[in-house]
Amino acid sequence: MKIKQVILRHMKLDLLHPFTTSFGTEYDREFILVEAISEDGISGWAESVAMLDPLYNEETVKTNRHILEDYLIPIVLNNEISHPNELSEKYFAHIRGNYMAKSAIEGAVWDLYAKQENISLSKALGGTKKEIEVGVSIGIQDSIDATINIIQSRLEEGYKRFKLKIKPGWDVELIDKVRKVYPDIPLMADANSAYTLADLEHLTALDLYNLMMIEQPLAYNDIIDHAELQNRMETAICLDESIHSLDDARKALKLGSCKIINIKVGRVGGLTQAKKIHDLCLENGIPLWCGGMLESGIGRAHNIAITSLPNFILPGDTAASSLYWSEDIIKPEVTVVNGIIKVPSSPGIGYEPDIEKINKYTISKKYL
């Protein structure tokens, strides 16, 4: 395929409710929306999941825009691409890091490729599922009672798994009280790197509560200390921020750093690399789930597609659009029925970008 133009839109969507984790509170979501247009006039869509500030990782909206404009998009415009895999395997290999920027343009090319082939993005990736189970991520609330109220609401909506954000001072007591009210729900904790090995005894106290997993308890770039912690904990450790590549995943599995991996497409550099990590984990019996970065419907559609691969056997974070936005930028919006999302079968991402809504929430636009 030959891409004749790429449009970058700087978007801003206000969250319905503030979302608090161990590294701060988000009230809105600014991101880069990427539209890649082929010579035959077909558009592929994706989004960057980088945050405004370098808190989750080192990438930001500003650095992603720089890398996209000055490095990645010129490569895409100046080369004939036969398959999206070529981007990460051939054209982007010499550019270090910048995984979220790479993922954003690669995702748009994947959507475009699937549309040209007249198949769904799920099928293009080798997905096998017609529907996926999803859970919900619950940020740090003002009180434990508020957390319990949210869990009850999401239970009534049928969500299959409940992830609670934790941090020092908001952890064991929270889990203990939630478990007393809901002794049997699928429950996990996400620490977003808020602890160290000095907290080992405190973290092992969570073994009492039959958690599905504890996600990324230690440093964002660590696999060594996580291996020691996993050796001391009965609860499965899930790695998130530590896994940026197939090689990271291979090393973590070899060291015994985790028993589960969360794949975020942006964090690992795109759908091609996500599929490679999926295949490695499938071979080694390591279950996967798909994490979320407060994506708009465009990003959610990509998450749905990758989750249709067979080894995504745990419910992910791809909740309904209505939990986050007063209105999304796709038609139809992502909906969840009894904790299930139907995997679209129409070409590409399977959702139609809503140009009117996209224009409404665009801060700036650049044609390349």
Side-chain angles (χ1 to χ4, degrees):
M1 77 188 85
K2 189 73 175 75
I3 294 173
K4 68 174 183 179
Q5 187 176 59
V6 176
I7 303 173
L8 298 183
R9 294 172 172 89
H10 185 159
M11 310 289 295
K12 181 179 179 181
L13 293 175
D14 291 329
L15 286 161
L16 285 175
H17 310 286
F19 191 79
T20 300
T21 68
S22 62
F23 49 71
T25 300
E26 293 181 78
Y27 299 93
D28 51 47
R29 183 71 172 160
E30 290 191 36
F31 61 96
I32 299 168
L33 189 64
V34 180
E35 180 184 4
I37 306 170
S38 65
E39 286 187 332
D40 51 4
I42 300 173
S43 287
W45 296 80
E47 69 181 78
S48 161
V49 295
M51 300 169 65
L52 276 179
D53 301 309
L55 302 177
Y56 173 81
N57 68 357
E58 71 281 2
E59 294 184 71
T60 68
V61 171
K62 187 174 182 178
T63 65
N64 267 207
R65 185 156 191 159
H66 158 54
I67 295 297
L68 283 163
E69 289 184 12
D70 296 337
Y71 294 95
L72 302 179
I73 290 172
I75 291 172
V76 170
L77 293 175
N78 291 324
N79 287 280
E80 186 86 23
I81 300 164
S82 60
H83 193 280
N85 287 341
E86 292 179 346
L87 293 180
S88 66
E89 294 173 351
K90 178 180 177 182
Y91 294 118
F92 295 166
H94 66 289
I95 297 173
R96 300 286 178 89
N98 294 286
Y99 301 105
M100 291 177 175
K102 291 176 179 177
S103 176
I105 183 62
E106 190 216 58
V109 174
W110 265 106
D111 181 33
L112 178 53
Y113 169 80
K115 287 172 179 172
Q116 288 186 330
E117 295 294 312
N118 199 34
I119 57 176
S120 69
L121 180 56
S122 167
K123 185 174 182 180
L125 291 167
T128 58
K129 302 177 193 171
K130 304 300 183 187
E131 56 185 32
I132 61 171
E133 291 188 338
V134 293
V136 66
S137 179
I138 300 172
I140 294 169
Q141 305 298 312
D142 292 333
S143 68
I144 294 175
D145 286 343
T147 303
I148 289 171
N149 289 338
I150 293 173
I151 292 173
Q152 183 59 40
S153 296
R154 302 297 172 253
L155 267 173
E156 292 169 0
E157 293 164 359
Y159 283 93
K160 304 295 186 182
R161 182 271 285 149
F162 301 86
K163 179 169 83 172
L164 302 183
K165 296 287 187 177
I166 63 171
K167 64 179 181 178
W170 181 264
D171 43 35
V172 176
E173 182 183 4
L174 168 71
I175 300 296
D176 180 73
K177 290 188 176 179
V178 168
R179 266 292 180 235
K180 285 175 180 174
V181 179
Y182 303 107
D184 300 317
I185 62 170
L187 185 67
M188 61 171 286
D190 181 8
N192 289 114
S193 307
Y195 300 86
T196 71
L197 278 181
D199 301 302
L200 193 149
E201 289 189 14
H202 189 69
L203 290 169
T204 55
L206 294 172
D207 282 338
L208 297 173
Y209 298 104
N210 190 30
L211 298 178
M212 298 173 68
M213 68 193 87
I214 177 169
E215 184 181 359
Q216 197 72 34
L218 306 180
Y220 74 96
N221 57 357
D222 170 75
I223 56 174
I224 301 295
D225 288 351
H226 277 104
E228 181 174 345
L229 180 62
Q230 182 65 92
N231 190 49
R232 300 281 295 273
M233 289 193 77
E234 294 178 14
T235 304
I237 289 175
C238 170
L239 287 183
D240 174 358
E241 288 95 325
S242 292
I243 307 298
H244 295 98
S245 65
L246 178 66
D247 214 35
D248 286 342
R250 178 187 63 80
K251 292 172 184 176
L253 299 190
K254 186 172 183 178
L255 290 170
S257 305
C258 62
K259 296 178 180 178
I260 298 170
I261 287 179
N262 158 8
I263 288 185
K264 290 176 178 169
V265 176
R267 192 194 70 234
V268 302
L271 291 165
T272 298
Q273 295 303 312
K275 189 175 186 307
K276 289 182 178 182
I277 296 170
H278 166 275
D279 294 347
L280 174 72
C281 290
L282 181 61
E283 292 169 7
N284 287 275
I286 299 296
L288 298 174
W289 57 281
C290 182
M293 292 289 290
L294 299 178
E295 293 94 341
S296 79
I298 301 289
R300 283 171 198 276
H302 285 261
N303 290 347
I304 292 166
I306 195 69
T307 305
S308 71
L309 272 64
N311 198 40
F312 284 88
I313 59 178
L314 300 172
D317 280 344
T318 310
S321 299
S322 60
L323 291 190
Y324 299 95
W325 320 113
S326 59
E327 53 185 7
D328 209 337
I329 59 173
I330 55 169
K331 297 184 291 188
E333 294 190 357
V334 175
T335 56
V336 176
V337 179
N338 293 322
I340 299 292
I341 294 177
K342 298 287 186 182
V343 177
S345 57
S346 52
I349 60 174
Y351 296 86
E352 186 68 25
D354 188 328
I355 300 301
E356 181 181 344
K357 298 290 194 311
I358 288 171
N359 289 337
K360 179 178 177 180
Y361 296 108
T362 295
I363 297 173
S364 64
K365 182 170 17 176
K366 186 164 185 177
Y367 296 84
L368 298 164

